[in-house]
Amino acid sequence: RRRFEHRKDREIPFDAAALISAVATVFGLSEDKFCGPEKSAKAMLAKEVLILLARERGCSVTELSLMAGLDTSNISRRHDAAREKLQTDRKLTYARDQVEKLYIANIAESQT
């Protein structure tokens, strides 16, 4: 049996406000642009990153549905599609990494 070590930043409790703030900052969008019906390419990319990171950080589909203003089935479908897209889409991968770094920094800053 193999043991897997958890990365320290994975042990940080999920903070919806910090994640939304990080997404808004990285994409230069207000929350209502990516947490709602907006369909621009930039807003859709921001929404994908939000969904990916929130689910990775332990946010439930129901909580994320309320946060993003989407139906739970849309959250699950978009999450699966975005995870697959990470394999080939450099823009998505880069954006996800930038938001994750800022999210971790926001959490660290709020804990000091």
Side-chain angles (χ1 to χ4, degrees), residues 11-92:
E11 295 169 10
I12 297 169
F14 178 68
D15 183 330
L19 181 56
I20 287 171
S21 173
V23 171
T25 301
V26 168
F27 285 92
L29 293 170
S30 61
E31 177 184 340
D32 64 320
K33 293 289 184 194
F34 60 88
C35 287
E38 179 72 30
K39 300 276 187 193
S40 71
K42 192 176 192 179
M44 295 303 288
L45 184 60
K47 203 174 292 204
E48 286 179 333
V49 170
L50 175 73
I51 291 168
L52 278 170
L53 286 171
R55 293 294 293 139
E56 284 177 15
R57 298 292 170 164
C59 181
S60 73
V61 171
T62 304
E63 185 181 4
L64 188 50
S65 171
L66 294 171
M67 217 168 78
L70 296 169
D71 186 71
T72 54
S73 62
N74 282 339
I75 296 291
S76 295
R77 190 175 63 250
R78 286 175 188 232
H79 177 255
D80 294 344
R83 280 187 52 179
E84 198 167 301
K85 203 168 147 185
L86 275 175
Q87 310 299 317
T88 56
D89 190 332
R90 286 186 178 158
K91 189 185 243 183
L92 177 60

